[in-house]
Amino acid sequence: MDRWKEGELALLWGSARDQVLLVLQRGSQSVEGRGVLDLSGQIGELPGTTVDWAGRKYRLLRPALGDLLGSLQRRAQVVTAKDAARLIQLAGVGPGSRVAEAGSGSGWLTVALAFAVGPSGHVYSHDRRPEFLEFAKANVRRVQLGERVEFVEADVAERGFAARDLDAVILDLPEPWTGLSAASESLAPGGRLAAYTPTYNQLEHTVRSLREAGFEGAQAEELLLRPIEVGEGGTRPSFEMLGHTGFLLVARWMGPPW
Ligand SMILES: C[S@@+](CC[C@H](N)C(=O)[O-])C[C@H]1O[C@@H](n2cnc3c(N)ncnc32)[C@H](O)[C@@H]1O
């Protein structure tokens, strides 16, 4: 395990309800709404050591994807962690993948993709509205994944995607079918097209258009997440369930017909 370096993102973990994501710095640093702490002594140490702060004990840990997503700002509708995780799997995204997405929106899916492709992969994130690009870029930088992402101002229906030979294209657009022709031009043979659509109408329209455009093996699904409240002798499902978010769709591009 690597030792802490100055400038790294770290998770100060007190309990499931008391966690702070911060940048490791030398000297005193203020934590919004919480006061000041000095983590200089942690630099060069291994993750997991105890930190005493404001009369409580914390551990300093390397953040996981869920910790990063929990720290993001939000504007308009975003792809939540449960759907992002499954989209990554459906789209076959992993270390070293080259992936394009549209639109960037708040950058929540961008962060999940950048995390999944690792340092050797790359994400091309497109949006036609500059204010969303700036918002997404700030979120991606906040979690220190900026080097893995190129933001492109473009309407993908008109200008297409900024790269070719891609492993996957992911669409989170109000009209995903408008991005299919551009996706087919940018995907490598065998590459996957995944889409996130909140309504049945969008899903039907997109699947019809996928078939017409020559994509194969279209499959759709929905994930319902039901937390379980675990209490000794009283374990039961939570009363608060995250119900409908969006439908997940995947299909393959096999290249032009032979
Ligand atoms: C729902 S948001 C995406 C949310 C994002 N996936 C997230 O997790 O934060 C949809 C975005 O698509 C962009 N958009 C819509 N049509 C587009 C197009 N044809 N080309 C590029 N971006 C488009 C919008 O500007 C908007 O920012």
Side-chain angles (χ1 to χ4, degrees), residues 14-15 17-18 34 50-59:
S15 69
R17 294 196 178 163
D18 182 11
R34 301 285 302 269
T50 306
V51 174
D52 289 306
W53 182 39
R56 304 186 68 173
K57 290 209 179 298
Y58 291 83
R59 300 260 180 191

Side-chain angles (χ1 to χ4, degrees), residues 79-103:
V79 175
T80 58
K82 78 169 168 82
D83 292 321
R86 181 67 176 148
L87 274 173
I88 284 168
Q89 190 185 6
L90 289 172
V93 173
S97 295
R98 294 175 63 251
V99 184
E101 69 157 351

Side-chain angles (χ1 to χ4, degrees), residues 17-60:
R17 294 196 178 163
D18 182 11
Q19 303 174 27
V20 184
L21 193 70
L22 44 75
V23 178
L24 205 50
Q25 294 171 8
R26 279 189 202 282
S28 299
Q29 61 186 105
S30 62
V31 179
E32 207 182 328
R34 301 285 302 269
V36 174
L37 86 165
D38 188 339
L39 292 170
S40 311
Q42 292 291 326
I43 295 167
E45 295 294 327
L46 288 170
T49 53
T50 306
V51 174
D52 289 306
W53 182 39
R56 304 186 68 173
K57 290 209 179 298
Y58 291 83
R59 300 260 180 191
L60 199 63

Side-chain angles (χ1 to χ4, degrees), residues 52-73:
D52 289 306
W53 182 39
R56 304 186 68 173
K57 290 209 179 298
Y58 291 83
R59 300 260 180 191
L60 199 63
L61 307 175
R62 281 229 156 74
L65 176 58
D67 305 315
L68 303 186
L69 291 174
S71 77
L72 300 180
Q73 305 289 313

Side-chain angles (χ1 to χ4, degrees), residues 204-218:
E204 268 188 16
H205 193 151
T206 311
V207 171
R208 196 182 321 122
S209 303
L210 274 170
R211 290 178 179 142
E212 285 165 8
F215 284 83
E216 295 182 31

